[in-house]
Amino acid sequence: MSAKKKFFAGAGAVAALLTSGAAEAAQPKPWEMNFQPAATDIMRQMTWFEHYTLWFIGPITLLVLALLAYCIIKFRESVNPTPSRTSHNTLIEVIWTVGPVIVLLFIAVPSFQLLTAQYTPTEDPTLTVKATANQWNWDYEYQVDDPLSYNSAILDDGDRAAAGKQDMAVYPRLLTVDHELVVPVNKLTRVLVTATDVIHAFAMPAFGVKTDAVPGRINEVWFKPEKEGLYYGQCSELCGKDHAFMPIAIRVVSDDQYKTWLTAAKADLDGANKALMAEVDGTNKVAAAGN
């Protein structure tokens, strides 16, 4: 195992220890500045890369600010009435050419590695789901024997009681849907994304997943969630007047729970969802994740 993979594995183990016994998924917070807690290895790598690039962005920003302040003070008209006519300086030109090239190399190499990882699944998918975007909801089709299809739309506040989703901590307003996408934990899920009308986007921040849903075209993303819980995303492409009311909810459960739900959902989707909610919410009381 490479040093980089060891780092990510260790970070995942520490995160698991810190979150065990508590809510297994975080929820959006007001004025939040960081990413949502990573629920996949890819998102953990993205978080690492963001922290890594800040070590370059911070000093460069401060350097440019210092140079601007120096030039403003040193070369202001009141103390420098005769401006310099220097056309070039070889040393400075070499520095501002070579310096950025070195910085870009340090950023480019890990970014290419991350991009490669995003497009290179570590294994064959256990589950394939087709997600079709509409104004302003999602159709999900499970590509399994005797396929399961259903629609997922934002849940109106007046329907919360009937759906058993009154707990605002678990089912936040404007992010809760009537039917979540249910997937098994620690299994690779492939999502085929398309649209029926205009361009939308399928985004799940905690998974490190985001791709456009384009009419007449199928884009593919994948994720392998490492923690059970209820995760939220949203359409991330301006798609019309109700763009802000087009959430995505993914419920990650154990493999046994997923298989039981899938069998029951083919006969009675609402009944299967309520049975799964009763089991999961009664034992885990997870919070929402993503934004």
Side-chain angles (χ1 to χ4, degrees):
M1 181 182 291
S2 66
K4 187 175 180 181
K5 288 187 177 295
K6 288 181 179 179
F7 169 81
F8 290 131
V14 170
L17 288 173
L18 292 175
T19 57
S20 61
E24 296 179 42
Q27 64 177 335
K29 299 179 177 62
W31 300 98
E32 191 166 33
M33 298 178 63
N34 297 316
F35 290 134
Q36 293 294 324
T40 65
D41 179 63
I42 288 295
M43 187 59 207
R44 190 158 54 247
Q45 292 184 49
M46 289 182 181
T47 302
W48 174 87
F49 183 69
E50 186 253 351
H51 293 164
Y52 171 77
T53 55
L54 284 177
W55 287 101
F56 297 94
I57 295 172
I60 290 173
T61 301
L62 294 176
L63 174 62
V64 172
L65 178 62
L67 290 174
L68 285 173
Y70 173 79
C71 291
I72 291 171
I73 296 172
K74 177 71 174 178
F75 300 107
R76 66 188 189 276
E77 184 180 6
S78 60
V79 298
N80 190 46
T82 304
S84 171
R85 296 183 178 274
T86 302
S87 61
H88 69 277
N89 183 296
T90 302
L91 177 60
I92 292 178
E93 290 184 6
V94 169
I95 291 174
W96 72 34
T97 300
V98 175
V101 169
I102 294 174
V103 171
L104 288 175
L105 283 174
F106 273 96
I107 295 176
V109 172
S111 71
F112 289 154
Q113 292 175 335
L114 176 57
L115 188 63
T116 300
Q118 287 180 273
Y119 286 95
T120 310
T122 55
E123 59 193 73
D124 292 333
T126 301
L127 171 66
T128 297
V129 178
K130 183 179 180 182
T132 304
N134 316 291
Q135 289 179 311
W136 290 268
N137 52 73
W138 296 87
D139 289 326
Y140 296 129
E141 179 181 336
Y142 284 70
Q143 306 290 304
V144 296
D145 294 335
D146 187 15
L148 169 66
S149 301
Y150 59 87
N151 181 266
S152 177
I154 191 170
L155 184 68
D156 293 333
D157 289 343
D159 296 330
R160 282 181 172 273
K165 297 180 178 179
Q166 300 97 320
D167 189 344
M168 299 291 284
V170 180
Y171 303 102
R173 184 174 178 272
L174 301 183
L175 288 175
T176 299
V177 300
D178 51 3
H179 303 126
E180 296 91 3
L181 178 65
V182 180
V183 300
V185 69
N186 291 321
K187 302 289 185 180
L188 195 147
T189 298
R190 175 173 58 190
V191 184
L192 307 177
V193 183
T194 188
T196 59
D197 37 43
V198 299
I199 298 177
H200 302 268
F202 184 90
M204 184 54 59
F207 294 173
V209 166
K210 181 179 179 181
T211 190
D212 281 346
V214 183
R217 177 175 176 175
I218 294 180
N219 288 327
E220 179 180 322
V221 294
W222 63 273
F223 52 81
K224 186 178 180 180
E226 300 172 343
K227 297 182 293 184
E228 295 180 30
L230 186 54
Y231 300 90
Y232 290 105
Q234 290 177 296
C235 172
S236 298
E237 189 75 41
L238 189 60
C239 58
K241 70 180 183 65
D242 285 343
H243 163 67
F245 305 96
M246 191 175 171
I248 302 166
I250 300 180
R251 189 186 291 277
V252 181
V253 297
S254 70
D255 193 44
D256 288 340
Q257 289 173 329
Y258 163 72
K259 291 177 180 177
T260 300
W261 171 86
L262 182 63
T263 301
K266 292 177 181 180
D268 180 7
L269 178 62
D270 290 330
N273 284 340
K274 288 183 178 180
L276 182 61
M277 287 168 52
E279 181 177 359
V280 173
D281 291 349
T283 56
N284 277 339
K285 280 298 178 185
V286 296
N291 192 354

